[in-house]
């Protein structure tokens, strides 16, 4: 993740000497970014086992409050960070995208675990989404199954670096005529409609999964679902056992 650090024209040595006398020299970008990166409020929700590691990060042993991110909010209107912790099923995908759209700007997204990044061990499952980045933009990916609390703290620090590198005049949420409303997919009979958001994700031209992992197991659909309310069929009569034939008696 290439970042450009905001730098002031004032020499660092001069800033240090002025700070000893109670004079702080800074820029509007530094002050603005410092306030945002020091008060990140994540949304309070979890999807699967990665949420247990996220909960452990907020406990006293790891203490995510050191980074100003201890206020897990239960409402998307009060959150600016979504941590997708766990497996994202196709049935849950519309709800996650809807919550992301309801968050106020500026907002960020961290995918926690292999399942939310690419499907994890359920990548060949019919009901698991192969990455939430198919519908909404992701700022930091945290691989692992599940990643430890230290990894989440590292991802939070990487997000803070990204926030520090932003410039107020060039940020997306201050551009005129820009809407950050992402389409919410619908669960149809054959999966999600649409299958992905072309604005944030494009499928790969060549897929090397078959070369590395082999052909996926395909479970075919039944031609007709069983009728559970139908009366049970009468038992078939037992077939008569064939009588053994005796050999003909020899004639004298």
């Amino acid at each position: 993740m290439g970042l450009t650090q905001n730098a002031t024209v004032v020499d660092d040595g001069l800033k240090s000497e002025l700070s000893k006398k109670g004079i702080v020299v800074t820029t509007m970008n530094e002050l603005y970014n410092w306030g945002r990166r020091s008060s990140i409020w994540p949304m309070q929700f979890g999807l699967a086992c990665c949420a247990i590691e996220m909960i452990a990060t907020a406990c006293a042993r790891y203490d995510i409050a050191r980074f100003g991110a201890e206020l897990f909010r239960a409402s998307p209107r009060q959150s600016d960070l979504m941590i997708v912790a766990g497996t994202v099923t196709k049935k849950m995908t519309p709800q996650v995208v809807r919550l992301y759209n309801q968050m106020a700007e500026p907002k960020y997204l961290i995918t926690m675990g292999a399942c939310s990044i690419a499907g994890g061990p359920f990548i060949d499952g019919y009901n698991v989404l192969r990455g939430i980045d198919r519908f909404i933009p992701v700022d930091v990916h945290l691989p692992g199954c599940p990643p430890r609390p230290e990894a989440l703290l590292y991802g939070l620090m990487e997000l803070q670096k990204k926030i520090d590198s932003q410039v107020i005049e060039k940020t997306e949420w201050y551009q005129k005529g820009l809407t950050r409303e992402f389409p919410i997919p619908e669960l149809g009979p054959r999966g999600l409609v649409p299958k992905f958001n072309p604005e944030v994700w494009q499928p790969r031209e060549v897929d090397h999964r078959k070369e590395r992992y082999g052909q996926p197991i395909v479970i075919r659909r039944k031609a007709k679902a069983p009728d559970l309310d139908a009366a049970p069929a009468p038992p078939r009569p037992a077939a008569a056992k064939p009588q053994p034939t005796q050999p003909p008696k020899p004639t004298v």
Side-chain angles (χ1 to χ4, degrees):
M1 183 171 56
L3 302 176
T4 303
Q5 188 70 23
N6 290 326
T8 60
V9 295
V10 182
D11 183 67
D12 292 337
L14 179 59
K15 291 174 61 175
S16 177
E17 292 297 328
L18 291 175
S19 63
K20 295 178 181 179
K21 298 181 180 181
I23 301 174
V24 179
V25 180
T26 184
T27 62
M28 192 63 186
N29 279 325
E30 288 184 351
L31 187 62
Y32 177 71
N33 293 334
W34 170 82
R36 288 190 297 116
R37 71 174 175 82
S38 302
S39 60
I40 299 176
W41 289 6
M43 193 185 302
Q44 185 179 354
F45 83 105
L47 298 178
C49 44
C50 284
I52 304 299
E53 303 296 324
M54 182 179 66
I55 295 172
T57 310
C59 294
R61 180 175 181 181
Y62 299 97
D63 193 15
I64 200 174
R66 295 175 294 160
F67 302 89
E70 77 277 10
L71 290 179
F72 282 81
R73 309 306 295 174
S75 170
R77 306 296 185 184
Q78 302 174 356
S79 307
D80 54 5
L81 172 62
M82 173 181 283
I83 303 176
V84 183
T87 309
V88 184
T89 60
K90 294 180 180 179
K91 189 175 182 180
M92 184 60 68
T93 301
Q95 322 308 328
V96 176
V97 178
R98 183 178 291 106
L99 288 174
Y100 186 80
N101 287 336
Q102 293 175 355
M103 294 171 60
E105 297 284 359
K107 53 188 175 183
Y108 307 96
L109 177 62
I110 294 178
T111 54
M112 185 177 180
C115 292
S116 60
I117 295 175
F122 315 104
I123 187 172
D124 289 326
Y126 66 93
N127 64 329
V128 175
L129 184 68
R130 295 184 179 181
I132 193 60
D133 58 349
R134 294 177 178 235
F135 292 97
I136 48 181
V138 177
D139 296 287
V140 178
H141 295 81
L142 286 181
C145 188
R148 287 182 54 83
E150 296 93 341
L152 181 56
L153 293 179
Y154 175 77
L156 183 63
M157 289 188 290
E158 291 297 312
L159 180 62
Q160 289 180 333
K161 292 180 182 179
K162 183 175 183 178
I163 295 174
D164 278 333
S165 65
Q166 292 176 342
V167 181
I168 300 178
E169 294 83 3
K170 298 180 181 179
T171 51
E172 297 177 337
W173 47 88
Y174 285 147
Q175 303 301 319
K176 293 183 178 180
L178 180 66
T179 57
R180 295 253 290 178
E181 191 80 11
F182 298 94
I184 301 175
E186 296 181 358
L187 185 61
R190 296 184 179 273
L192 293 174
V193 181
K195 294 185 178 298
F196 60 90
N197 183 7
E199 297 181 2
V200 298
W201 186 84
Q202 290 291 338
R204 293 178 294 181
E205 297 180 358
V206 180
D207 191 359
H208 299 282
R209 290 191 65 253
K210 295 182 181 180
E211 301 176 3
R212 298 178 181 178
Y213 306 107
Q215 186 73 17
I217 300 175
V218 179
I219 301 177
R220 300 189 180 276
R221 298 176 60 184
K222 295 182 179 180
K224 184 179 180 181
D227 189 2
L228 302 179
D229 296 331
R236 295 183 179 180
K241 296 182 179 180
Q243 298 294 332
T245 57
Q246 297 180 356
K249 296 181 178 181
T251 57
V252 179

